[in-house]
Amino acid sequence: MKRILVVEDELSISNLITYNLEQSGYQVTTAYDGAEALRLVEELCPHLITLDLLLPLQSGWQVLDAIRRHPRKQVATVPIVVLSALSCARLRGELQQHGVSHCLGKPFSVTELSLLVNSLLDEQRDQTWSSPL
């Protein structure tokens, strides 16, 4: 079962994301601040992360930097979908420099998020299957 870490400090949004991803068959864990997110990344080694940028304790930017600098490749290269109230168009360049190619603005479509997550995890599975031993 694929593990997804939802990093979102707004309870109603995290509950909405968690419910919908669990309905799609994923194992979902939620972090409500940046410090908890980094602890859970280390503990769970998730297959995908959804990340809000505006978080208490440590910002989403700090979380993103820590993940991308992680010594374990599996952690450092995990797909991250940024969910932000900030303009994704304005953030695009900075996010790409941090290895993030997907950003959904709030409010976002749960269907769009689910399709994106499914696509990224399918892509990840295809790369695993096609990589040499």
Side-chain angles (χ1 to χ4, degrees):
M1 182 179 280
K2 295 284 186 170
R3 295 177 305 279
I4 297 176
L5 176 60
V6 173
V7 185
E8 173 60 61
D9 62 323
E10 292 184 44
L11 187 59
S12 61
I13 295 174
S14 67
N15 286 344
L16 177 70
I17 296 168
T18 298
Y19 174 80
N20 282 282
L21 292 176
E22 285 176 343
Q23 292 302 303
S24 295
Y26 298 113
Q27 178 184 342
V28 181
T29 303
T30 303
Y32 298 98
D33 62 62
E36 183 181 21
L38 290 175
R39 182 183 61 77
L40 288 171
V41 163
E42 193 67 38
E43 184 181 309
L44 301 173
C45 196
H47 295 97
L48 184 135
I49 298 169
T50 66
L51 178 65
D52 184 15
L53 294 177
L54 304 175
L55 296 169
L57 300 183
Q58 289 185 321
S59 75
W61 289 108
Q62 291 170 308
V63 171
L64 185 54
D65 283 340
I67 290 170
R68 292 303 184 228
R69 288 191 324 262
H70 198 281
R72 285 189 1 230
K73 183 181 179 191
Q74 185 179 6
V75 173
T77 60
V78 65
I80 297 174
V81 177
V82 168
L83 304 173
S84 182
L86 304 171
S87 168
C88 287
R90 287 193 336 210
L91 297 173
R92 185 166 290 125
E94 273 187 273
L95 290 172
Q96 286 177 341
Q97 289 175 0
H98 287 88
V100 176
S101 57
H102 301 286
C103 179
L104 296 178
K106 292 179 182 176
F108 56 88
S109 158
V110 179
T111 302
E112 183 180 8
L113 176 61
S114 293
L115 290 171
L116 178 57
V117 166
N118 291 338
S119 172
L120 289 169
L121 291 175
D122 284 347
E123 196 175 287
Q124 189 181 56
R125 184 198 69 222
D126 291 344
Q127 289 173 1
T128 302
W129 283 64
S130 64
S131 66
L133 299 175

